[in-house]
Amino acid sequence: MNSTEVLQSLEKWTSHYIEELDNYSDEQLRRKPAKDAWSLGQMYVHLIETANHLQLANVDKCRALSEEAVLSAAEMPVKNEAGEAVFAMGGFPPVRIVVPASARPDPAQAESKRQLVEGLQAVLRRAGELEPQLGSIPAHVKVAHPRLGGMNAEEWFALVEMHYRHHLLQKERLHAFIAG
């Protein structure tokens, strides 16, 4: 997908996640299937925080590095085998990816559906602002992802949409828990 298609898909998934919130009360969004598991609201917060503080923030880092114009392609981090596989497939594999608790803090519980809607909309607005700038950021400029290796601005941008799609599986598991 090119960046315009990625943004269109992100718009679709954002609408989906927002519409799905109508199916739950604030209390249901905070209900956890197990002590060490996330609630549905925490999953939403995770999507929003990861987009804002990792994925889109690294688009900005790529742009800043390109403006410094001091680093050559040889000095940039390289995408590793896992990163190559994710991008070759166009998304994450349809399996649970468990990050050790020591490597990630649990997201905060959602305060309200309104907070989640506003957060998702803010991510989409920021993505819409960044998308036209992607073509001006050289593809050789990369920032390392902790599990996928070096990624350029367009890859970081695409990762937001891939991440939203990946969490649909978790959303379905949590829906079944809440409905059960």
Side-chain angles (χ1 to χ4, degrees):
M1 278 192 277
N2 65 39
S3 63
T4 302
E5 293 168 329
V6 168
L7 183 58
Q8 290 169 345
S9 185
L10 184 60
E11 289 169 351
K12 177 183 92 170
W13 292 122
T14 299
S15 293
H16 172 77
Y17 276 110
I18 290 172
E19 289 167 10
E20 287 290 304
L21 285 170
D22 289 337
N23 297 321
Y24 308 103
S25 68
D26 287 342
E27 187 278 323
Q28 287 174 315
L29 289 172
R30 289 188 282 274
R31 194 177 315 155
K32 296 170 71 166
K35 184 179 179 179
D36 62 344
W38 291 353
S39 68
L40 186 58
Q42 284 177 292
M43 187 205 76
Y44 272 77
V45 169
H46 167 73
L47 290 174
I48 294 162
E49 289 180 347
T50 302
N52 283 327
H53 303 298
L54 180 68
Q55 296 149 346
L56 297 178
N58 281 326
V59 171
D60 286 328
K61 285 181 185 176
C62 287
R63 184 181 57 234
L65 284 171
S66 72
E67 290 168 359
E68 292 175 16
V70 294
L71 299 173
S72 69
E75 296 171 291
M76 291 290 153
V78 177
K79 192 180 304 136
N80 62 30
E81 190 175 314
E84 292 292 348
V86 164
F87 281 91
M89 291 185 322
F92 294 98
V95 296
R96 290 177 82 165
I97 298 173
V98 180
V99 178
S102 62
R104 55 124 183 107
D106 283 342
Q109 282 286 4
E111 294 172 19
S112 66
K113 286 194 266 188
R114 180 179 177 165
Q115 171 204 14
L116 299 176
V117 169
E118 290 173 357
L120 291 166
Q121 290 172 335
V123 168
L124 189 57
R125 274 192 308 277
R126 182 71 181 125
E129 293 165 0
L130 287 172
E131 191 275 332
Q133 301 172 34
L134 293 172
S136 67
I137 303 170
H140 81 276
V141 176
K142 298 180 180 183
V143 173
H145 181 281
R147 294 187 64 180
L148 306 178
M151 298 190 324
N152 65 34
E154 290 206 13
E155 292 166 331
W156 278 108
F157 186 79
L159 201 61
V160 178
E161 188 273 344
M162 290 180 193
H163 192 227
Y164 275 38
R165 276 189 287 126
H166 177 70
H167 276 279
L168 291 170
L169 296 171
Q170 182 181 15
K171 187 185 140 321
E172 289 307 313
R173 285 192 306 271
L174 288 166
H175 172 80
F177 162 73
I178 291 167

